[in-house]
Amino acid sequence: MKLFATFLFTLSFFSMNMTHAANPLLGRTYGTPRETYPFDKIKHAHYLPAVEEGIRQLEKEVAAIANHPKPPTFENTVVALERSGQLLHRVTAAFMAVLNAEADDEMMNLSQEISPRLSECRNNIFLNEALFARVKAVYDRKASLSLSVEDARLLQQTYDEFADNGATLPPEGKERFRQLSTELSLLRLTFEQNVLKDKNRYELLLTDEKDLAGLPESVREAALQRGREREKTGWLFTLSEPSYVPFMQYADNRSLREQLYRARQRIGNGGDAFDNRENIRNIVRIRLEIARLLGYRNYAEYELKNKMAGKPENVYRLLEQLLEAYRPVAVNEYHTLRGFAAGIENRPVDLMPWDWSYYSEKLKNICFRVDDEMTRPYFELERVTKGVFGLATQLYGITFRENPKIPVYHQEVTPYEVFDADGRFLAVLYTDFFPRRGKQSGAWMDGIRAQYRDAKGVDHRPHIAIVMNFTRPTETKPSLLTYEEVNTFLHEFGHALHGMLSETTYGSLAGTNVEQDFVELPSQIMENWLDEEPFLDRIAAHYQTGEKIPAELVRNLVDASNFNTGYKCCRQVSFGLLDMAWHTLAEPFEGDVAEFEKNAWERAVILPSVPGTLMSSSFNHIFSGGYAAGYYGYKWAEVMDADAFSVFKANGIFDRGTANAFREHILSKGNTEEPDVLYKRFRGREPSIDALLIRNGIKKPDAPRQEPEKR
């Protein structure tokens, strides 16, 4: 493949034109509905030549900007740079969408080739002294320019991005930054691929029906089908969420639960080719050196300077505030569950991580008469999809129309056209719901094309994908979701709304291209509707009879919404503490990763630690994703989402006026203004933690609680 691509790009001009004609990624127009990607025509062999051509065009455009004969202006420098590289943006967006959702060995190998080329291209732009001189010249006289709010934001963001990527460094510093950033891009990619490969190779095949004790029929049926699909006889369980989660909730066999838990926590730290521990050391070392090179004490300080939090001290202040409120509750939950388990087993139970979900599910059933298997028949995926879309229609007036003529990258993907209340086309939305071997775990929204207006004022609408790992249909049942899976749907759909309702001029400021600790507000606020009876009553109906979910079950679901909320909060805080610990290091790390992890998050961890297990080695969010020194953002945004939803609660959860205000001030604005300005414009004041505490029924403890034992 590499030789083929190199050969293509050493051909004559005539042959190059023929190559373009044969490569669907290089067409000026794709000839598909809404100019969506021709995924049905794109082959693996098309990506590398298209990336190389995209880089060639971008470098030509950048050279023209840097060497422009006229003095630098906002239009001929900053806007010109913003609008450069359209081909490369299109090609890499398509490649990354497929790499994350449908990767195979060839795609992974391609990514290892493409990544350093993109890193080199990026460095060539940000370390171009002539180009930065023009950007700086415009920036230095910004006070005298008549810029709109969005134009001023673009200028600030452009200057900051150059500065953050080494443009202000002396020559030797620029060269070192170039080396470090290239090495880091490959390390992050390798980390992510190790996690996927290591996760995929684990299988738990059960052939004795005794080992299935406690597992509901739906879970057994799914495991049996999973085995058939892989040509194995028996019930097959993997580490994907739809397999792992119900096994941990329901399997009576404690040793098998422990086995599965240990396998999950051994991803990326098995001492073999997929071990990520050395990658972690190198990633945090390089990030620290980059931060110091740019004048910061640590990487968190470097990352947070332009975030809502501003500096590490503010992140720690939030995490400690949450711990003060929630840890006593979590400790009580631990002792309650331990006592409950002892009552079931008629003996003391040393409650371990592989026991938590199992006994929690039983206790929740007793306390609230509800569990996943009781609610699953009422959450049929097709109906849930209509319900979630219907919520958007009621709030924002938008509608969804499936269009099977839009090409997709996998047969399970469904494409929709999205329209505003006045019939205006808003976006293309792809839904991709089920786990596959080539798909990353978890769930995400992918902004395949951002919304923007071109130089002629034409509004190019976004293309958005929401990608999940939901419970698959079986031979006898459609896809029936758990309550948590419906919650995940709403979360990612909130990100999609942020992208689809964008109304900006510049693509780099559109939709979800906002500060990391603000991006989760539009997603997390959507989760609130799931705990509201009017919405549940509308979205949930039995997949066989069509009968609405019983009112009593709805009330039980709502009542159970705060079950173990202390533990859940402390778990999220522990991840935030771990992230901050890795990225506030003052010296390169050469020690034991497991020991570091234990010390970093110990004060937020409720359950005993388990030797030989590790979270960091599979923590994609911070080591390969975009959440380095930013995982706290989920809790930061949760404070805002609870505070913002209180307005809906006061005015009516389906109130169009409140929704329109949220759309106008938050969803449509992207990154055109500071996020705290946008939030205060919607809310009328800064967010308060009070709404979150009220939602969770949390009060600060009056006295210390008994702590669980540590190992």
Side-chain angles (χ1 to χ4, degrees):
M1 176 62 214
K2 183 178 180 180
L3 292 175
F4 179 61
T6 304
F7 174 68
L8 283 176
F9 277 82
T10 57
L11 295 179
S12 66
F13 178 75
F14 175 73
S15 296
M16 181 69 76
N17 284 345
M18 291 184 64
T19 302
H20 284 195
N23 191 330
L25 283 167
L26 295 176
R28 287 184 177 274
T29 59
Y30 292 145
T32 58
R34 306 296 181 186
E35 287 302 314
T36 53
Y37 285 102
F39 284 118
D40 55 335
K41 295 182 174 62
I42 299 172
K43 308 298 182 186
H44 289 354
H46 293 139
Y47 286 114
L48 186 56
V51 167
E52 291 181 331
E53 175 60 13
I55 291 173
R56 187 190 70 79
Q57 289 188 18
L58 175 57
E59 289 179 340
K60 182 179 178 180
E61 293 163 353
V62 167
I65 298 169
N67 301 315
H68 199 288
K70 293 185 178 181
T73 66
F74 178 74
E75 287 293 332
N76 71 20
T77 300
V78 177
V79 175
L81 187 59
E82 164 72 17
R83 290 178 173 151
S84 66
Q86 291 298 314
L87 174 60
L88 187 59
H89 288 315
R90 293 203 311 266
V91 173
T92 53
F95 178 75
M96 291 307 298
V98 177
L99 179 67
N100 288 327
E102 190 59 21
D104 55 21
D105 288 342
E106 187 177 352
M107 283 292 286
M108 291 186 192
N109 291 336
L110 268 174
S111 70
Q112 295 283 344
E113 286 192 71
I114 289 173
S115 177
R117 300 185 191 208
L118 294 177
S119 181
E120 181 183 14
C121 177
R122 179 181 175 86
N123 284 328
N124 287 342
I125 293 172
F126 289 119
L127 301 178
N128 184 319
E129 293 184 4
L131 180 63
F132 179 59
R134 291 181 66 87
V135 171
K136 187 174 186 301
V138 178
Y139 181 76
D140 286 345
R141 63 176 198 276
K142 61 182 178 180
S144 64
L145 301 177
S146 297
L147 299 178
S148 69
V149 171
E150 184 174 353
D151 288 347
R153 184 72 168 168
L154 178 66
L155 176 56
Q156 184 68 54
Q157 295 284 300
T158 302
Y159 179 84
D160 288 345
E161 194 168 14
F162 271 86
D164 291 345
N165 285 278
T168 61
L169 294 173
E172 64 274 13
K174 286 185 172 70
E175 184 55 35
R176 183 57 179 157
F177 185 93
R178 184 186 295 273
Q179 295 169 356
L180 291 171
S181 60
T182 299
E183 187 179 351
L184 181 61
S185 68
L186 279 173
L187 282 168
R188 290 174 59 184
L189 188 61
T190 300
F191 184 99
E192 181 179 63
Q193 293 180 355
N194 282 351
V195 171
L196 179 62
K197 292 174 181 177
D198 205 6
K199 176 177 72 72
N200 281 344
R201 67 177 174 171
Y202 178 83
E203 295 178 347
L204 174 64
L205 183 66
L206 302 179
T207 55
D208 188 341
E209 198 163 358
K210 294 178 185 176
D211 292 331
L212 305 177
L215 293 175
E217 182 56 38
S218 63
V219 177
R220 299 185 185 202
E221 185 180 2
L224 200 61
Q225 179 167 308
R226 198 176 297 117
R228 291 195 198 102
E229 290 170 353
R230 301 191 185 186
E231 299 181 346
K232 297 187 177 182
T233 302
W235 295 268
L236 186 65
F237 296 90
T238 68
L239 301 180
S240 68
E241 279 79 359
S243 176
Y244 177 84
V245 171
F247 193 93
M248 300 303 290
Q249 285 177 320
Y250 296 110
D252 290 338
N253 190 318
R254 191 186 192 213
S255 65
L256 289 177
R257 293 201 312 271
E258 178 181 355
Q259 180 180 328
L260 207 61
Y261 173 84
R262 288 183 179 274
R264 179 74 169 248
Q265 300 302 312
R266 290 284 291 180
I267 294 175
N269 66 101
D272 56 14
F274 302 141
D275 196 302
N276 270 332
R277 284 173 290 187
E278 190 60 27
N279 289 329
I280 291 172
R281 295 185 186 97
N282 287 327
I283 287 171
V284 297
R285 170 184 58 80
I286 291 173
R287 284 175 172 166
L288 175 60
E289 186 173 350
I290 286 174
R292 285 185 165 176
L293 198 61
L294 295 171
Y296 300 94
R297 292 176 300 172
N298 53 58
Y299 192 76
E301 190 176 86
Y302 163 67
E303 273 290 326
L304 291 168
K305 67 186 183 304
N306 293 323
K307 304 291 193 293
M308 292 186 76
K311 54 186 179 180
E313 292 83 355
N314 290 337
V315 174
Y316 278 116
R317 186 176 297 114
L318 171 70
L319 297 179
E320 295 299 338
Q321 189 178 14
L322 291 169
L323 270 183
E324 180 185 1
Y326 284 86
R327 182 175 175 87
V329 178
V331 170
N332 281 345
E333 290 167 351
Y334 170 88
H335 287 293
T336 297
L337 194 63
R338 189 179 184 189
F340 172 76
I344 289 179
E345 307 297 342
N346 291 317
R347 59 175 176 77
V349 174
D350 188 11
L351 205 62
M352 299 300 291
W354 48 85
D355 299 318
W356 185 266
S357 294
Y358 177 74
Y359 290 112
S360 290
E361 194 68 16
K362 290 183 179 299
L363 180 58
K364 186 174 73 172
N365 194 337
I366 290 174
C367 292
F368 302 101
R369 300 182 304 282
V370 66
D371 62 30
D372 280 346
E373 293 309 303
M374 293 170 64
T375 59
R376 191 191 292 271
Y378 297 97
F379 291 133
E380 192 270 317
L381 177 58
E382 183 176 352
R383 184 179 180 90
V384 169
T385 302
K386 291 178 180 177
V388 172
F389 288 177
L391 176 60
T393 302
Q394 185 159 5
L395 292 175
Y396 303 111
I398 64 177
T399 54
F400 301 78
R401 185 184 306 159
E402 184 177 342
N403 186 348
K405 293 183 179 179
I406 293 176
V408 294
Y409 57 81
H410 190 276
Q411 61 186 7
E412 292 179 338
V413 177
T414 302
Y416 298 87
E417 293 174 301
V418 186
F419 299 91
D420 211 343
D422 60 2
R424 177 175 68 108
F425 170 69
L426 275 179
V428 171
L429 176 67
Y430 302 89
T431 60
D432 181 359
F433 288 131
F434 303 119
R436 298 183 292 271
R437 289 186 67 84
K439 182 187 281 191
Q440 292 290 344
S441 60
W444 62 93
M445 171 271 202
D446 192 345
I448 299 176
R449 184 176 88 179
Q451 176 268 331
Y452 69 97
R453 292 183 178 89
D454 63 24
K456 296 179 180 179
V458 176
D459 189 6
H460 297 260
R461 300 308 303 171
H463 300 169
I464 306 294
I466 49 175
V467 188
M468 320 286 188
N469 281 278
F470 287 161
T471 303
R472 278 188 169 277
T474 66
E475 293 178 355
T476 62
K477 294 184 181 69
S479 175
L480 302 176
L481 305 185
T482 65
Y483 186 78
E484 188 58 38
E485 286 176 324
V486 180
N487 193 69
T488 298
F489 193 153
L490 284 163
H491 180 102
E492 299 307 330
F493 187 71
H495 283 310
L497 287 172
H498 200 181
M500 294 188 296
L501 299 180
S502 177
E503 299 288 349
T504 69
T505 299
Y506 306 115
S508 65
L509 302 180
T512 57
N513 294 323
V514 300
E515 305 297 4
Q516 193 178 69
D517 44 13
F518 190 63
V519 74
E520 298 299 336
L521 167 60
S523 58
Q524 291 180 183
I525 196 171
M526 293 300 294
E527 299 175 24
N528 287 276
W529 273 270
L530 191 54
D531 292 331
E532 298 292 328
E533 291 188 33
F535 178 67
L536 272 172
D537 183 61
R538 176 184 308 172
I539 199 175
H542 199 281
Y543 78 99
Q544 289 176 314
T545 66
E547 294 180 5
K548 283 190 174 184
I549 187 170
E552 181 182 6
L553 191 51
V554 170
R555 287 192 297 273
N556 293 345
L557 276 170
V558 173
D559 291 344
S561 62
N562 282 332
F563 180 67
N564 282 345
T565 192
Y567 171 81
K568 292 172 185 175
C569 179
C570 286
R571 183 172 181 269
Q572 285 293 96
V573 169
S574 73
F575 296 160
L577 289 172
L578 178 60
D579 171 32
M580 290 299 291
W582 282 120
H583 294 112
T584 53
L585 284 167
E587 298 293 336
F589 179 75
E590 302 293 343
D592 182 79
V593 174
E595 187 66 23
F596 181 90
E597 175 176 289
K598 181 179 178 181
N599 293 333
W601 68 7
E602 188 168 24
R603 65 186 185 278
V605 171
I606 304 302
L607 295 170
S609 61
V610 180
T613 64
L614 194 61
M615 165 71 177
S616 295
S617 58
S618 62
F619 203 169
N620 273 334
H621 271 75
I622 68 169
F623 290 117
S624 63
Y627 282 77
Y631 199 86
Y632 76 92
Y634 285 104
K635 300 308 292 184
W636 188 278
E638 190 175 1
V639 171
M640 287 188 288
D641 92 62
D643 191 60
F645 190 69
S646 67
V647 182
F648 282 94
K649 292 280 283 186
N651 297 336
I653 65 169
F654 301 118
D655 180 62
R656 179 69 70 88
T658 306
N660 284 341
F662 192 75
R663 175 178 180 172
E664 177 186 357
H665 299 306
I666 305 292
L667 298 178
S668 70
K669 296 297 186 183
N671 194 21
T672 57
E673 295 185 70
E674 292 284 351
D676 59 337
V677 171
L678 297 177
Y679 185 84
K680 282 187 280 189
R681 196 171 291 150
F682 166 72
R683 188 67 177 92
R685 58 165 174 73
E686 293 183 351
S688 165
I689 196 174
D690 293 345
L692 178 61
L693 297 177
I694 291 170
R695 183 170 76 186
N696 292 156
I698 299 294
K699 294 181 179 179
K700 290 185 179 181
D702 298 323
R705 305 296 200 273
Q706 180 188 358
E707 292 288 320
E709 295 88 345
K710 293 290 183 182
R711 288 190 167 191

Short mmCIF file of all heavy atoms in Angstrom, two decimals, residues 16 77 262 282 354 409 483 682:
data_model
loop_
_atom_site.label_atom_id
_atom_site.label_comp_id
_atom_site.label_asym_id
_atom_site.label_seq_id
_atom_site.Cartn_x
_atom_site.Cartn_y
_atom_site.Cartn_z
N MET A 16 -1.45 12.09 -12.77
CA MET A 16 -2.03 12.61 -11.54
C MET A 16 -3.50 12.94 -11.72
O MET A 16 -4.34 12.64 -10.88
CB MET A 16 -1.26 13.87 -11.09
CG MET A 16 -1.76 14.48 -9.80
SD MET A 16 -1.42 13.45 -8.37
CE MET A 16 0.32 13.78 -8.19
N THR A 77 -5.16 37.19 5.75
CA THR A 77 -4.30 36.30 6.55
C THR A 77 -5.11 35.36 7.43
O THR A 77 -5.08 34.14 7.26
CB THR A 77 -3.34 37.14 7.42
OG1 THR A 77 -2.53 37.94 6.56
CG2 THR A 77 -2.44 36.23 8.25
N ARG A 262 -11.16 -8.73 36.10
CA ARG A 262 -9.70 -8.66 35.98
C ARG A 262 -9.27 -8.53 34.53
O ARG A 262 -8.31 -7.80 34.21
CB ARG A 262 -9.06 -9.88 36.63
CG ARG A 262 -9.13 -9.88 38.16
CD ARG A 262 -8.42 -11.07 38.75
NE ARG A 262 -8.46 -11.08 40.21
CZ ARG A 262 -7.58 -10.45 40.99
NH1 ARG A 262 -6.59 -9.77 40.43
NH2 ARG A 262 -7.68 -10.50 42.31
N ASN A 282 5.92 7.68 28.39
CA ASN A 282 6.42 8.54 27.31
C ASN A 282 5.45 9.68 26.99
O ASN A 282 5.87 10.80 26.70
CB ASN A 282 6.69 7.70 26.06
CG ASN A 282 7.93 6.84 26.20
OD1 ASN A 282 8.89 7.23 26.86
ND2 ASN A 282 7.92 5.66 25.60
N TRP A 354 -15.82 -6.51 41.68
CA TRP A 354 -16.66 -7.39 40.85
C TRP A 354 -17.97 -7.76 41.54
O TRP A 354 -18.80 -8.45 40.95
CB TRP A 354 -15.89 -8.65 40.45
CG TRP A 354 -15.18 -9.34 41.59
CD1 TRP A 354 -15.70 -10.24 42.47
CD2 TRP A 354 -13.81 -9.16 41.95
NE1 TRP A 354 -14.75 -10.64 43.37
CE2 TRP A 354 -13.57 -10.00 43.07
CE3 TRP A 354 -12.76 -8.39 41.46
CZ2 TRP A 354 -12.32 -10.08 43.68
CZ3 TRP A 354 -11.52 -8.47 42.05
CH2 TRP A 354 -11.30 -9.29 43.16
N TYR A 409 -20.77 4.04 5.67
CA TYR A 409 -19.52 3.28 5.75
C TYR A 409 -19.75 1.85 6.26
O TYR A 409 -18.84 1.03 6.22
CB TYR A 409 -18.50 4.00 6.64
CG TYR A 409 -18.97 4.29 8.05
CD1 TYR A 409 -18.92 3.31 9.04
CD2 TYR A 409 -19.44 5.55 8.40
CE1 TYR A 409 -19.35 3.57 10.32
CE2 TYR A 409 -19.86 5.82 9.69
CZ TYR A 409 -19.81 4.84 10.64
OH TYR A 409 -20.24 5.09 11.92
N TYR A 483 -31.73 1.05 30.64
CA TYR A 483 -31.96 2.45 31.02
C TYR A 483 -30.71 3.28 30.78
O TYR A 483 -30.77 4.40 30.27
CB TYR A 483 -32.38 2.49 32.49
CG TYR A 483 -32.80 3.83 33.01
CD1 TYR A 483 -34.06 4.34 32.73
CD2 TYR A 483 -31.95 4.58 33.82
CE1 TYR A 483 -34.46 5.58 33.24
CE2 TYR A 483 -32.34 5.81 34.34
CZ TYR A 483 -33.61 6.29 34.04
OH TYR A 483 -33.99 7.51 34.55
N PHE A 682 -27.74 32.92 28.89
CA PHE A 682 -28.91 32.03 28.98
C PHE A 682 -29.50 32.04 30.39
O PHE A 682 -30.70 32.20 30.58
CB PHE A 682 -28.53 30.60 28.60
CG PHE A 682 -29.57 29.58 28.99
CD1 PHE A 682 -30.77 29.50 28.31
CD2 PHE A 682 -29.36 28.72 30.07
CE1 PHE A 682 -31.75 28.59 28.68
CE2 PHE A 682 -30.32 27.80 30.44
CZ PHE A 682 -31.52 27.73 29.75
#
